[in-house]
Amino acid sequence: MAGLHEKLHTRPVTFAVLSAVVILIGTIVTMFYPMLTPQMHPKLENLKPYTPLQLAGRDIYQREGCNNCHTQTVRPLKTEVMRYGEYSKAGEFAYDRPFLWGSKRTGPDLARIGGKYPDAWHSMHFEDPRAFFAESNMPSYGFLNKRKLDAGDVVSHMKALGFPYTSDEINALDGKTEMDAIVAYMQVIGIAAAKKPAIAEAARAEDKNPLSGKPEAVAEGKDLYAANCAVCHGSDGEGGIGPDLTDNVWLYKEGDMGDGALHNIIANGTQPGREIEGGKAKGGMPPFGAQMDKNKIWALIAYIRSIHGK
Amino acid sequence: MNDDYQYDNQTVKGFIVSSIFWGVAGILIGLWISVQLWKPEWNVPPFFTYGRLRVVHTNGLTFGLGVGAIFGISYYIVMRLAKTPLLFPKLARFHLYLFNIAIALAAVSLFAGMNQSLEYAELEWPLDIGVVILWVIFAVNIFGTIIRRKEEQMYISLWYIIATVVAVAILYIVNNLSVPSGLFKSYSVFAGVNSANVQWWYGHNAVGFVFTTPILAMFYYFLPKSTGIPIFSHRLSIISFWSLVFAYLWTGAHHLVYTPLPDWIQTLAIVFTVFLIAPSWGSVVNGFYTAGADWPKAQANYLTKFFILGITFYGLQTVQGPTQGLRVVSQLIHYTDWVPGHVHMGTMGWVTMTVAASIYYVIPKICKTDIYSIGIANTHFYLVLIGQLIFSITMWITGIQQGALSKAVNPDGSLKYAMVEIIAKNYPYWQMRTLGGVIFTIGMLFFIYNIYMTIRKGKALAVSNA
Ligand code: HEM
Ligand code: HEM
């Protein structure tokens, strides 16, 4: 072998050709060959190409380098699925050119962000992340509100990708801002494969709050509320993105709601169309069951009861 | 004879000075983004937010500092090993100008947010074409000069340079294939899972053929040159060269462990990743034994410590890397700050260390003088070493902490920490990282001052000799 090599390194061209061959072997087996097989081009049946507004949002995501802080793939690990939702499927990304999985989670994964929050939450969060979480290091993106989309660009991008669109969709871009676009993109990420979270009835409807009225529980609930709920329900429960928690209307129905039912709403959140005591949910309330144990939720309920009618 | 090299030497010097310039710019932006992580007010939208600046940092250092030094120093090495000046001196000079224009435009375009979102291949398509032209010019000159060489045998460094050129050509062109939509935007021809596979085949080998093989070329050339001790084992270098070049290309998917990429590609990549320890350590062993063959002699040269510490970090890097590829390790540290810890041990400890030592060797030779101050070089050495250790160690700690806290569960099975609570715990480590970065930067300023004074000294000498 050494002898062969002695000859080889007097012949630069042969040497270069041989290096190319050696380099191409692994390249062919792990990269070119798989590309020719269907397993690299899966597509979920209900996956749709991006609409013009969503694509504009995705372009902004790329432009702002959001992928430098956010991943878009949930690994099939137990705690990761609890934290973010259903793990990512190969068929979810067929329209992603390129993929935006990222390699660093300075912020949370966004693979299941679609539908997690109401639109208003997103635009307020983009404007000032620290108004929501004092210790967030996400940059503020308020300037997106001031920039209008350029329909011509969006059309040419849709064409480059070969995505279908209607003239109504293009006309609808008129007056839309970059903020509208990025929010629309957020709302579509991961929804094709997002399983409806298994609604584990965390409590039975007739359960009573074991911590009801206990002052320590109310105090703990107050802190939990300030950290997790105030952004949407207002600092004193007066409502905002989410409904008023001090009034007598619980999910569109006048009258009281049982402790057990409240517990379920907080643990599981509401998904649009879900049957809840009181009717069909409109959605927008995120689930907290994975991050809070039962007693924390009971403490929250104790606190909510304490502000009732104030 | 000497005069034949004079013009080319100036080109080499031009590349070195440019690479230092872009290096400083990239490092300062590194400091800036490191502050943004614990002081978000340092984001200045729209152009200077973390999301845009991080890309300027990585590209500025990979392509500005790294590739600039690779071009210049490879020219230097090739001329010496071929015992002939460059075949196309004017083309090399044009190469230098084009390189600087391209990097400047690259920086501007990244600030402006033109970004393909492929790591280490962020530049949009017009600049991609520019990058390809740069490598073609380089290839033509390198191959031309090697073919016309006056020394029959090609020394180890030339193998690595040839492999670099061949690999970069294949990697860069494939990964950047895209459908343009206007001058400033394009969409990859690859989609979804497939695009992830192509990207990390590229991404890992960008590390392999920019931060490894050309740096090894420098190492194999300058360690024997500065110590006067020949390389320990020729046979070992042959084996490690071919097995490294062969194995690297199989391993990209270790960046995609537990993603939806088909399992067999991940597993194959992990197997080759573990195997990579062997060829990497081939060079490490070769380096250690070379210096060890006559340690008192090696020790007498101030550059030996740069090279030996550099190859030591390379050795650590190439054990840490394969470990990270294992599923049980990846599930903990993937996506965390552990990875920047790994990255900067490689880029600061191995790449920048070896490049700086090579420059210390080359610049006095070109300027026909001695280094301005060995004392300053030693100060530089210890400062960058300390800075880098602080950086990497703090990131390893906080990386493991992030991984562990995000897995922590309460007795009833619910998650113990919300994401924001985990983020808040990083702040002290991020602040310490900035401190490490500042120390590293001061070290680099010592280096630059030393090089600047050496060049000045050379000029003064030239004037007094004339
Ligand atoms: C045998 C050698 C090596 C192996 C097997 C290896 C392995 C790895 C692995 C598995 C990762 C991914 C970590 C994760 O995201 O979970 C990684 C990241 C990285 N490594 Fe290494 N490494 C090696 C040597 C090096 C060297 C010498 C450098 C030189 C600077 C380097 C630079 C990087 C960079 C820049 C990344 C970050 C990639 C990104 O996510 O953007 N590595 N390495
Ligand atoms: C003062 C010195 C430096 C500082 C403060 C610094 C800071 C940083 C920071 C904050 C990041 C982002 C980490 C994250 O995503 O959480 C980063 C990434 C990176 N830096 Fe540096 N850096 C420095 C020097 C260098 C040098 C000298 C090089 C190369 C020669 C380099 C190459 C990289 C690369 C390749 C990445 C991407 C890593 C990845 O994707 O995981 N840095 N740096």
Side-chain angles (χ1 to χ4, degrees), chain A residues 103, chain B residues 119-120 200 204 207 211-212 248 254-255 273 276 280 314 317-318 321-322 324-325 333-334 339 342-343 346-347 350:
Chain A
S103 65
Chain B
E119 275 183 84
Y120 316 112
W200 283 111
H204 183 68
V207 170
F211 285 156
T212 301
Y248 238 99
H254 65 213
H255 291 265
T273 299
L276 258 186
S280 310
Y314 175 71
Q317 189 79 353
T318 54
Q324 287 167 189
I333 56 90
H334 193 37
V339 180
H342 167 74
V343 171
T347 53
W350 153 242

mmCIF file of all heavy atoms in Angstrom, chain A residues 103, chain B residues 119-120 200 204 207 211-212 248 254-255 273 276 280 314 317-318 321-322 324-325 333-334 339 342-343 346-347 350, ligand 1:
data_model
loop_
_atom_site.group_PDB
_atom_site.id
_atom_site.type_symbol
_atom_site.label_atom_id
_atom_site.label_comp_id
_atom_site.label_asym_id
_atom_site.label_seq_id
_atom_site.Cartn_x
_atom_site.Cartn_y
_atom_site.Cartn_z
ATOM 1 N N SER A 103 -30.718 24.091 14.811
ATOM 2 C CA SER A 103 -29.795 23.223 15.541
ATOM 3 C C SER A 103 -29.581 23.701 16.964
ATOM 4 O O SER A 103 -28.779 23.163 17.690
ATOM 5 C CB SER A 103 -28.449 23.153 14.813
ATOM 6 O OG SER A 103 -27.828 24.418 14.826
ATOM 7 N N GLU B 119 -27.229 26.226 7.396
ATOM 8 C CA GLU B 119 -26.078 26.634 8.193
ATOM 9 C C GLU B 119 -24.775 26.493 7.414
ATOM 10 O O GLU B 119 -24.516 25.450 6.827
ATOM 11 C CB GLU B 119 -26.030 25.849 9.503
ATOM 12 C CG GLU B 119 -26.900 26.524 10.559
ATOM 13 C CD GLU B 119 -26.835 25.834 11.894
ATOM 14 O OE1 GLU B 119 -25.896 26.118 12.657
ATOM 15 O OE2 GLU B 119 -27.718 25.004 12.153
ATOM 16 N N TYR B 120 -23.985 27.528 7.431
ATOM 17 C CA TYR B 120 -22.715 27.653 6.700
ATOM 18 C C TYR B 120 -22.928 27.703 5.194
ATOM 19 O O TYR B 120 -21.971 27.621 4.428
ATOM 20 C CB TYR B 120 -21.723 26.536 7.096
ATOM 21 C CG TYR B 120 -21.711 26.335 8.594
ATOM 22 C CD1 TYR B 120 -22.190 25.178 9.177
ATOM 23 C CD2 TYR B 120 -21.276 27.367 9.426
ATOM 24 C CE1 TYR B 120 -22.247 25.041 10.548
ATOM 25 C CE2 TYR B 120 -21.326 27.229 10.794
ATOM 26 C CZ TYR B 120 -21.814 26.066 11.354
ATOM 27 O OH TYR B 120 -21.877 25.934 12.717
ATOM 28 N N TRP B 200 -27.025 18.603 6.142
ATOM 29 C CA TRP B 200 -26.061 18.192 7.169
ATOM 30 C C TRP B 200 -24.948 17.320 6.613
ATOM 31 O O TRP B 200 -23.876 17.237 7.210
ATOM 32 C CB TRP B 200 -26.749 17.624 8.412
ATOM 33 C CG TRP B 200 -27.286 18.785 9.209
ATOM 34 C CD1 TRP B 200 -28.577 19.120 9.405
ATOM 35 C CD2 TRP B 200 -26.508 19.819 9.834
ATOM 36 N NE1 TRP B 200 -28.668 20.299 10.123
ATOM 37 C CE2 TRP B 200 -27.411 20.747 10.390
ATOM 38 C CE3 TRP B 200 -25.138 20.077 9.977
ATOM 39 C CZ2 TRP B 200 -26.992 21.890 11.086
ATOM 40 C CZ3 TRP B 200 -24.726 21.224 10.670
ATOM 41 C CH2 TRP B 200 -25.657 22.103 11.211
ATOM 42 N N HIS B 204 -21.704 19.144 8.067
ATOM 43 C CA HIS B 204 -20.648 18.475 8.809
ATOM 44 C C HIS B 204 -19.337 18.516 8.036
ATOM 45 O O HIS B 204 -18.253 18.624 8.606
ATOM 46 C CB HIS B 204 -21.008 17.032 9.135
ATOM 47 C CG HIS B 204 -19.948 16.379 9.955
ATOM 48 N ND1 HIS B 204 -19.686 16.753 11.246
ATOM 49 C CD2 HIS B 204 -19.023 15.451 9.656
ATOM 50 C CE1 HIS B 204 -18.667 16.066 11.706
ATOM 51 N NE2 HIS B 204 -18.235 15.268 10.759
ATOM 52 N N VAL B 207 -17.345 21.668 8.205
ATOM 53 C CA VAL B 207 -16.427 21.576 9.339
ATOM 54 C C VAL B 207 -15.226 20.707 8.960
ATOM 55 O O VAL B 207 -14.079 21.009 9.277
ATOM 56 C CB VAL B 207 -17.151 20.977 10.570
ATOM 57 C CG1 VAL B 207 -16.161 20.643 11.658
ATOM 58 C CG2 VAL B 207 -18.202 21.934 11.086
ATOM 59 N N PHE B 211 -12.537 23.449 8.496
ATOM 60 C CA PHE B 211 -11.932 23.548 9.825
ATOM 61 C C PHE B 211 -11.059 22.347 10.165
ATOM 62 O O PHE B 211 -10.553 22.230 11.271
ATOM 63 C CB PHE B 211 -13.005 23.717 10.901
ATOM 64 C CG PHE B 211 -13.603 25.098 10.949
ATOM 65 C CD1 PHE B 211 -14.872 25.311 11.471
ATOM 66 C CD2 PHE B 211 -12.895 26.199 10.485
ATOM 67 C CE1 PHE B 211 -15.419 26.586 11.532
ATOM 68 C CE2 PHE B 211 -13.437 27.477 10.532
ATOM 69 C CZ PHE B 211 -14.709 27.672 11.056
ATOM 70 N N THR B 212 -10.931 21.397 9.267
ATOM 71 C CA THR B 212 -10.083 20.252 9.588
ATOM 72 C C THR B 212 -8.980 20.036 8.553
ATOM 73 O O THR B 212 -7.810 20.270 8.842
ATOM 74 C CB THR B 212 -10.924 18.971 9.766
ATOM 75 O OG1 THR B 212 -11.869 19.198 10.806
ATOM 76 C CG2 THR B 212 -10.050 17.791 10.157
ATOM 77 N N TYR B 248 -15.409 10.824 6.615
ATOM 78 C CA TYR B 248 -16.110 12.067 6.943
ATOM 79 C C TYR B 248 -17.476 12.168 6.284
ATOM 80 O O TYR B 248 -18.463 12.589 6.873
ATOM 81 C CB TYR B 248 -15.256 13.280 6.545
ATOM 82 C CG TYR B 248 -14.977 14.160 7.739
ATOM 83 C CD1 TYR B 248 -13.768 14.087 8.431
ATOM 84 C CD2 TYR B 248 -15.942 15.041 8.196
ATOM 85 C CE1 TYR B 248 -13.534 14.864 9.542
ATOM 86 C CE2 TYR B 248 -15.716 15.831 9.309
ATOM 87 C CZ TYR B 248 -14.506 15.733 9.978
ATOM 88 O OH TYR B 248 -14.277 16.499 11.081
ATOM 89 N N HIS B 254 -25.309 12.668 11.993
ATOM 90 C CA HIS B 254 -25.220 12.749 13.461
ATOM 91 C C HIS B 254 -25.709 14.109 13.967
ATOM 92 O O HIS B 254 -25.869 14.296 15.163
ATOM 93 C CB HIS B 254 -23.808 12.400 13.988
ATOM 94 C CG HIS B 254 -22.725 13.339 13.579
ATOM 95 N ND1 HIS B 254 -21.436 12.939 13.341
ATOM 96 C CD2 HIS B 254 -22.721 14.668 13.359
ATOM 97 C CE1 HIS B 254 -20.696 13.982 13.010
ATOM 98 N NE2 HIS B 254 -21.454 15.036 13.021
ATOM 99 N N HIS B 255 -25.936 15.031 13.047
ATOM 100 C CA HIS B 255 -26.564 16.305 13.431
ATOM 101 C C HIS B 255 -28.088 16.182 13.464
ATOM 102 O O HIS B 255 -28.777 17.142 13.801
ATOM 103 C CB HIS B 255 -26.182 17.414 12.451
ATOM 104 C CG HIS B 255 -24.738 17.802 12.531
ATOM 105 N ND1 HIS B 255 -24.297 18.852 13.288
ATOM 106 C CD2 HIS B 255 -23.639 17.257 11.974
ATOM 107 C CE1 HIS B 255 -22.983 18.949 13.178
ATOM 108 N NE2 HIS B 255 -22.557 17.986 12.382
ATOM 109 N N THR B 273 -19.217 7.934 12.644
ATOM 110 C CA THR B 273 -18.794 9.002 13.538
ATOM 111 C C THR B 273 -17.839 8.460 14.591
ATOM 112 O O THR B 273 -16.806 9.065 14.894
ATOM 113 C CB THR B 273 -20.028 9.628 14.211
ATOM 114 O OG1 THR B 273 -20.860 10.172 13.193
ATOM 115 C CG2 THR B 273 -19.629 10.717 15.169
ATOM 116 N N LEU B 276 -14.488 7.717 13.200
ATOM 117 C CA LEU B 276 -13.660 8.897 12.881
ATOM 118 C C LEU B 276 -12.602 9.207 13.932
ATOM 119 O O LEU B 276 -11.629 9.913 13.662
ATOM 120 C CB LEU B 276 -14.554 10.125 12.714
ATOM 121 C CG LEU B 276 -14.869 10.589 11.289
ATOM 122 C CD1 LEU B 276 -15.645 11.900 11.333
ATOM 123 C CD2 LEU B 276 -13.598 10.788 10.475
ATOM 124 N N SER B 280 -8.616 10.692 13.022
ATOM 125 C CA SER B 280 -8.323 11.979 13.630
ATOM 126 C C SER B 280 -7.130 11.839 14.562
ATOM 127 O O SER B 280 -6.193 12.641 14.540
ATOM 128 C CB SER B 280 -9.527 12.487 14.418
ATOM 129 O OG SER B 280 -10.690 12.430 13.624
ATOM 130 N N TYR B 314 -7.675 19.620 19.048
ATOM 131 C CA TYR B 314 -8.230 18.834 17.942
ATOM 132 C C TYR B 314 -8.501 17.411 18.424
ATOM 133 O O TYR B 314 -9.557 16.833 18.133
ATOM 134 C CB TYR B 314 -7.256 18.838 16.763
ATOM 135 C CG TYR B 314 -7.673 17.951 15.609
ATOM 136 C CD1 TYR B 314 -8.755 18.295 14.801
ATOM 137 C CD2 TYR B 314 -6.987 16.773 15.321
ATOM 138 C CE1 TYR B 314 -9.139 17.484 13.741
ATOM 139 C CE2 TYR B 314 -7.367 15.956 14.264
ATOM 140 C CZ TYR B 314 -8.451 16.324 13.479
ATOM 141 O OH TYR B 314 -8.828 15.511 12.438
ATOM 142 N N GLN B 317 -11.485 17.483 20.659
ATOM 143 C CA GLN B 317 -12.645 17.755 19.818
ATOM 144 C C GLN B 317 -13.121 16.489 19.117
ATOM 145 O O GLN B 317 -14.314 16.230 19.006
ATOM 146 C CB GLN B 317 -12.207 18.810 18.782
ATOM 147 C CG GLN B 317 -13.291 19.390 17.954
ATOM 148 C CD GLN B 317 -14.060 20.440 18.720
ATOM 149 O OE1 GLN B 317 -13.851 20.641 19.913
ATOM 150 N NE2 GLN B 317 -14.968 21.099 18.045
ATOM 151 N N THR B 318 -12.164 15.699 18.649
ATOM 152 C CA THR B 318 -12.515 14.521 17.866
ATOM 153 C C THR B 318 -12.849 13.314 18.741
ATOM 154 O O THR B 318 -13.157 12.253 18.237
ATOM 155 C CB THR B 318 -11.383 14.164 16.884
ATOM 156 O OG1 THR B 318 -10.168 14.027 17.611
ATOM 157 C CG2 THR B 318 -11.224 15.224 15.828
ATOM 158 N N GLY B 321 -16.677 15.019 19.804
ATOM 159 C CA GLY B 321 -17.606 14.976 18.667
ATOM 160 C C GLY B 321 -18.265 13.612 18.524
ATOM 161 O O GLY B 321 -19.498 13.513 18.533
ATOM 162 N N PRO B 322 -17.478 12.557 18.387
ATOM 163 C CA PRO B 322 -18.086 11.235 18.259
ATOM 164 C C PRO B 322 -18.970 10.870 19.450
ATOM 165 O O PRO B 322 -19.988 10.203 19.296
ATOM 166 C CB PRO B 322 -16.869 10.301 18.178
ATOM 167 C CG PRO B 322 -15.804 11.150 17.572
ATOM 168 C CD PRO B 322 -16.030 12.524 18.126
ATOM 169 N N GLN B 324 -20.752 12.967 21.181
ATOM 170 C CA GLN B 324 -22.003 13.710 20.986
ATOM 171 C C GLN B 324 -22.926 13.038 19.980
ATOM 172 O O GLN B 324 -24.134 13.237 19.999
ATOM 173 C CB GLN B 324 -21.698 15.107 20.421
ATOM 174 C CG GLN B 324 -21.095 16.035 21.412
ATOM 175 C CD GLN B 324 -20.519 17.287 20.761
ATOM 176 O OE1 GLN B 324 -19.867 18.049 21.420
ATOM 177 N NE2 GLN B 324 -20.738 17.515 19.478
ATOM 178 N N GLY B 325 -22.307 12.293 19.061
ATOM 179 C CA GLY B 325 -23.130 11.653 18.040
ATOM 180 C C GLY B 325 -23.945 10.486 18.583
ATOM 181 O O GLY B 325 -24.961 10.123 18.008
ATOM 182 N N ILE B 333 -27.707 16.560 25.091
ATOM 183 C CA ILE B 333 -27.003 17.819 24.808
ATOM 184 C C ILE B 333 -27.385 18.466 23.478
ATOM 185 O O ILE B 333 -27.062 19.618 23.242
ATOM 186 C CB ILE B 333 -25.472 17.630 24.858
ATOM 187 C CG1 ILE B 333 -24.989 16.536 23.901
ATOM 188 C CG2 ILE B 333 -24.999 17.315 26.256
ATOM 189 C CD1 ILE B 333 -24.650 16.980 22.554
ATOM 190 N N HIS B 334 -28.044 17.733 22.612
ATOM 191 C CA HIS B 334 -28.444 18.298 21.326
ATOM 192 C C HIS B 334 -29.334 19.510 21.577
ATOM 193 O O HIS B 334 -30.142 19.499 22.499
ATOM 194 C CB HIS B 334 -29.204 17.233 20.549
ATOM 195 C CG HIS B 334 -29.405 17.561 19.100
ATOM 196 N ND1 HIS B 334 -28.454 18.211 18.334
ATOM 197 C CD2 HIS B 334 -30.437 17.323 18.269
ATOM 198 C CE1 HIS B 334 -28.914 18.347 17.103
ATOM 199 N NE2 HIS B 334 -30.116 17.826 17.029
ATOM 200 N N VAL B 339 -23.315 22.530 22.656
ATOM 201 C CA VAL B 339 -22.775 22.489 21.296
ATOM 202 C C VAL B 339 -21.892 23.714 20.991
ATOM 203 O O VAL B 339 -20.777 23.552 20.500
ATOM 204 C CB VAL B 339 -23.892 22.272 20.257
ATOM 205 C CG1 VAL B 339 -23.322 22.224 18.854
ATOM 206 C CG2 VAL B 339 -24.639 20.977 20.566
ATOM 207 N N HIS B 342 -18.584 22.939 22.367
ATOM 208 C CA HIS B 342 -17.822 22.078 21.453
ATOM 209 C C HIS B 342 -17.263 22.907 20.290
ATOM 210 O O HIS B 342 -16.070 22.877 19.998
ATOM 211 C CB HIS B 342 -18.772 20.986 20.947
ATOM 212 C CG HIS B 342 -18.294 20.187 19.774
ATOM 213 N ND1 HIS B 342 -17.311 19.228 19.863
ATOM 214 C CD2 HIS B 342 -18.675 20.183 18.466
ATOM 215 C CE1 HIS B 342 -17.114 18.670 18.675
ATOM 216 N NE2 HIS B 342 -17.921 19.235 17.801
ATOM 217 N N VAL B 343 -18.137 23.671 19.665
ATOM 218 C CA VAL B 343 -17.750 24.445 18.483
ATOM 219 C C VAL B 343 -16.553 25.341 18.784
ATOM 220 O O VAL B 343 -15.603 25.404 18.013
ATOM 221 C CB VAL B 343 -18.932 25.319 18.014
ATOM 222 C CG1 VAL B 343 -18.494 26.283 16.932
ATOM 223 C CG2 VAL B 343 -20.084 24.448 17.545
ATOM 224 N N GLY B 346 -13.145 23.865 19.166
ATOM 225 C CA GLY B 346 -12.571 23.608 17.844
ATOM 226 C C GLY B 346 -12.124 24.883 17.149
ATOM 227 O O GLY B 346 -10.991 24.989 16.682
ATOM 228 N N THR B 347 -13.023 25.875 17.106
ATOM 229 C CA THR B 347 -12.695 27.061 16.308
ATOM 230 C C THR B 347 -11.652 27.943 16.997
ATOM 231 O O THR B 347 -10.768 28.474 16.344
ATOM 232 C CB THR B 347 -13.952 27.901 16.041
ATOM 233 O OG1 THR B 347 -14.589 28.173 17.283
ATOM 234 C CG2 THR B 347 -14.914 27.175 15.124
ATOM 235 N N TRP B 350 -8.403 25.028 18.295
ATOM 236 C CA TRP B 350 -7.672 24.317 17.249
ATOM 237 C C TRP B 350 -7.444 25.212 16.028
ATOM 238 O O TRP B 350 -6.314 25.508 15.675
ATOM 239 C CB TRP B 350 -8.427 23.025 16.910
ATOM 240 C CG TRP B 350 -8.280 22.429 15.536
ATOM 241 C CD1 TRP B 350 -9.269 22.236 14.619
ATOM 242 C CD2 TRP B 350 -7.086 21.904 14.922
ATOM 243 N NE1 TRP B 350 -8.775 21.641 13.485
ATOM 244 C CE2 TRP B 350 -7.446 21.427 13.642
ATOM 245 C CE3 TRP B 350 -5.750 21.812 15.327
ATOM 246 C CZ2 TRP B 350 -6.527 20.859 12.758
ATOM 247 C CZ3 TRP B 350 -4.832 21.245 14.440
ATOM 248 C CH2 TRP B 350 -5.224 20.773 13.180
HETATM 249 C C1 HEM C 1 -14.168 13.479 14.624
HETATM 250 C C2 HEM C 1 -14.434 14.712 14.631
HETATM 251 C C3 HEM C 1 -15.744 15.343 15.032
HETATM 252 C C4 HEM C 1 -16.971 14.779 15.224
HETATM 253 C C5 HEM C 1 -17.372 13.339 15.057
HETATM 254 C C6 HEM C 1 -17.881 15.853 15.576
HETATM 255 C C7 HEM C 1 -19.208 15.674 15.879
HETATM 256 C C8 HEM C 1 -20.119 16.668 16.057
HETATM 257 C C9 HEM C 1 -21.513 16.469 16.365
HETATM 258 C C10 HEM C 1 -22.195 15.135 16.604
HETATM 259 C C11 HEM C 1 -22.106 17.691 16.398
HETATM 260 C C12 HEM C 1 -23.583 17.988 16.618
HETATM 261 C C13 HEM C 1 -23.900 18.290 18.020
HETATM 262 C C14 HEM C 1 -25.373 18.502 18.215
HETATM 263 O O1 HEM C 1 -25.954 19.438 17.617
HETATM 264 O O2 HEM C 1 -25.970 17.734 18.970
HETATM 265 C C15 HEM C 1 -21.084 18.664 16.109
HETATM 266 C C16 HEM C 1 -21.274 20.004 15.989
HETATM 267 C C17 HEM C 1 -20.301 20.882 15.535
HETATM 268 N N1 HEM C 1 -18.946 20.632 15.437
HETATM 269 FE FE1 HEM C 1 -18.044 18.849 15.677
HETATM 270 N N2 HEM C 1 -17.201 17.039 15.617
HETATM 271 C C18 HEM C 1 -15.895 16.764 15.265
HETATM 272 C C19 HEM C 1 -14.869 17.662 15.152
HETATM 273 C C20 HEM C 1 -15.068 19.008 15.003
HETATM 274 C C21 HEM C 1 -14.000 19.929 14.718
HETATM 275 C C22 HEM C 1 -12.524 19.617 14.544
HETATM 276 C C23 HEM C 1 -14.576 21.139 14.618
HETATM 277 C C24 HEM C 1 -13.794 22.394 14.319
HETATM 278 C C25 HEM C 1 -14.126 23.542 14.567
HETATM 279 C C26 HEM C 1 -16.027 20.975 14.842
HETATM 280 C C27 HEM C 1 -16.979 21.951 14.753
HETATM 281 C C28 HEM C 1 -18.343 21.762 14.945
HETATM 282 C C29 HEM C 1 -19.327 22.779 14.681
HETATM 283 C C30 HEM C 1 -19.082 24.181 14.116
HETATM 284 C C31 HEM C 1 -20.568 22.226 15.065
HETATM 285 C C32 HEM C 1 -21.918 22.949 15.084
HETATM 286 C C33 HEM C 1 -22.747 22.619 13.927
HETATM 287 C C34 HEM C 1 -24.056 23.354 14.013
HETATM 288 O O3 HEM C 1 -24.986 22.881 14.672
HETATM 289 O O4 HEM C 1 -24.148 24.433 13.423
HETATM 290 N N3 HEM C 1 -16.266 19.664 15.103
HETATM 291 N N4 HEM C 1 -19.874 18.011 15.928
#
